[in-house]
Amino acid sequence: MNLPNLITFSRLLGIPFLLYGLYNPTPQARWVCLTIFLVAALTDWLDGYLARQLNQITDLGKFLDPLVDKLLVFAPLLVLVELEKIPAWGVFVILARELAIAGWRVNQTTITGANIWGKLKTVSQIIAISLLIAPLSLAWQLPTLIAFWLSVVLTVISGVIYILGAYLFS
């Protein structure tokens, strides 16, 4: 296993701490959770950068990176649903897209990296989850929900574009 893949795998280590902290309603715990989440999200960029720079792009990395990304996204989203911060059906839409793309990829002979829409989806989800985790004042409630719904919309758009692109160019 090369360095970029180890970094990808290391992202998993923060998830149990993130989940534990989200159930602690103190502002300090939420700031710690936000830090854990952002550091883990930053490693998503770092592993891709290193894989390209070190010429260590592998099929394992192409498979493992999106899988770990999904776990990093769904773990806090599911807790936030349970804490009644966001509606479950919005998370279900995101989950449905991710399962559809994963199912599509299973039947492909080659694994392709994320396109610009996939990257926008990921960034929008990171922003939305960060705002949902952060212990912000009530003045941030509307912008936070807008960020969440924007991430849902970008998730759907990126999924449609991915499947249409793969279908049209196969």
Side-chain angles (χ1 to χ4, degrees):
M1 188 176 288
N2 63 27
L3 178 61
N5 291 345
L6 283 172
I7 292 171
T8 298
F9 188 74
S10 74
R11 240 181 294 161
L12 288 173
L13 299 177
I15 293 174
F17 297 102
L18 175 63
L19 295 178
Y20 178 78
L22 285 173
Y23 286 108
N24 186 345
T26 67
Q28 296 83 359
R30 287 300 182 100
W31 287 119
V32 169
C33 288
L34 178 62
T35 302
I36 291 169
F37 179 75
L38 289 175
V39 167
L42 183 62
T43 66
D44 183 31
W45 171 83
L46 179 63
D47 62 22
Y49 174 80
L50 288 175
R52 288 184 297 277
Q53 292 301 311
L54 300 174
N55 197 25
Q56 294 183 349
I57 298 172
T58 64
D59 283 341
L60 174 63
K62 288 180 188 177
F63 170 79
L64 191 61
D65 184 64
L67 176 63
V68 173
D69 289 347
K70 285 162 191 43
L71 293 173
L72 183 63
V73 165
F74 282 114
L77 284 179
L78 292 173
V79 172
L80 291 164
V81 166
E82 186 178 1
L83 296 175
E84 299 180 352
K85 302 289 184 186
I86 51 175
W89 75 268
V91 176
F92 176 79
V93 169
I94 296 171
L95 178 61
R97 181 267 190 207
E98 299 301 341
L99 290 175
I101 298 302
W104 179 269
R105 285 181 173 158
V106 166
N107 295 319
Q108 303 304 303
T109 55
T110 60
I111 301 172
T112 59
N115 62 24
I116 187 66
W117 289 99
K119 292 177 191 280
L120 286 172
K121 170 206 65 127
T122 300
V123 169
S124 71
Q125 289 174 347
I126 290 169
I127 291 169
I129 293 167
S130 296
L131 290 171
L132 287 160
I133 290 172
L136 302 172
S137 70
L138 287 178
W140 282 90
Q141 189 171 18
L142 182 60
T144 298
L145 285 176
I146 290 170
F148 171 71
W149 288 113
L150 178 61
S151 75
V152 172
V153 168
L154 286 173
T155 298
V156 170
I157 290 170
S158 71
V160 169
I161 289 172
Y162 182 89
I163 290 177
L164 284 177
Y167 179 75
L168 293 175
F169 297 111
S170 62

